[in-house]
Amino acid sequence: IGKTGIVVKDIDTIKTISNPSTLNSSVYNYETKKYTKIYDYDKLKSLDKYDIYLSGASSIIDIVNPTSNSNKELIVFRDSYGSLVPLLIDGYRKITVIDIRYVSSRILNNYIKFDNQDVLFMYSILTINNSFSMR
């Protein structure tokens, strides 16, 4: 019960997809230098339940899909809409996800070799209209 005396229930329903690509892929986080799974179900107990997707907001992560029939790679520039990236895993061997709210675009060449990858910009209208939040 909040200050208004109104009981607030979780309005959002967190959903995940499960297929060989999401189950067998791994996520490498450049900040923590650790590998995790696509979905971190322990994050459902945290304050931000959306951290279940790719273990939450990070500056740069790589998703490696060993079950992909493709050799294609994708680079995704994202904000919070990056939680949709697991929907793309099946079509790529590797997806690099970059959140330039947390890392300067000037140093991306230290982590990524831009060479014939598909590129996707996945931003909300709020981020685009307030581009000062992008480094």
Side-chain angles (χ1 to χ4, degrees), residues 7 13 22 24 28 31 37 40-41 52 59 61 74 81 96 110 115:
V7 176
T13 302
T22 60
N24 294 311
Y28 178 75
E31 294 172 24
K37 294 290 187 184
D40 184 350
Y41 291 100
I52 186 177
S59 55
I61 60 171
L74 173 66
Y81 280 86
T96 300
N110 296 342
D115 182 36

Side-chain angles (χ1 to χ4, degrees), residues 13 18 21 43 58-59 64 75 82 101 109 115 123 133-134:
T13 302
S18 180
S21 294
K43 301 286 184 177
S58 297
S59 55
V64 179
I75 298 174
R101 296 175 298 172
N109 284 332
D115 182 36
Y123 292 115
S133 67
M134 299 190 307

Side-chain angles (χ1 to χ4, degrees), residues 1-131:
I1 298 179
K3 290 182 181 180
T4 62
I6 299 171
V7 176
V8 178
K9 296 181 180 181
D10 273 341
I11 299 171
D12 294 339
T13 302
I14 303 293
K15 296 192 179 213
T16 61
I17 60 169
S18 180
N19 60 42
S21 294
T22 60
L23 293 173
N24 294 311
S25 292
S26 60
V27 178
Y28 178 75
N29 185 314
Y30 283 83
E31 294 172 24
T32 64
K33 296 179 177 36
K34 293 182 181 176
Y35 286 92
T36 59
K37 294 290 187 184
I38 299 299
Y39 303 114
D40 184 350
Y41 291 100
D42 289 336
K43 301 286 184 177
L44 287 174
K45 300 171 193 160
S46 70
L47 188 58
D48 187 353
K49 291 175 182 35
Y50 285 100
D51 284 351
I52 186 177
Y53 302 107
L54 308 172
S55 294
S58 297
S59 55
I60 304 174
I61 60 171
D62 282 335
I63 301 168
V64 179
N65 176 5
T67 62
S68 177
N69 292 326
S70 170
N71 283 328
K72 292 174 63 174
E73 293 186 18
L74 173 66
I75 298 174
V76 178
F77 291 91
R78 65 115 183 215
D79 59 9
S80 61
Y81 280 86
S83 60
L84 297 172
V85 169
L87 299 173
L88 305 172
I89 293 171
D90 199 43
Y92 292 93
R93 180 179 52 83
K94 178 181 174 190
I95 301 176
T96 300
V97 183
I98 303 163
D99 192 329
I100 55 175
R101 296 175 298 172
Y102 304 117
V103 64
S104 172
S105 57
R106 292 185 200 121
I107 65 167
L108 289 180
N109 284 332
N110 296 342
Y111 300 96
I112 300 161
K113 181 181 177 198
F114 293 95
D115 182 36
N116 202 30
Q117 299 99 330
D118 292 343
V119 177
L120 174 63
F121 293 91
M122 189 180 289
Y123 292 115
S124 71
I125 196 69
L126 291 174
T127 300
I128 295 296
N129 286 338
N130 295 299
S131 61

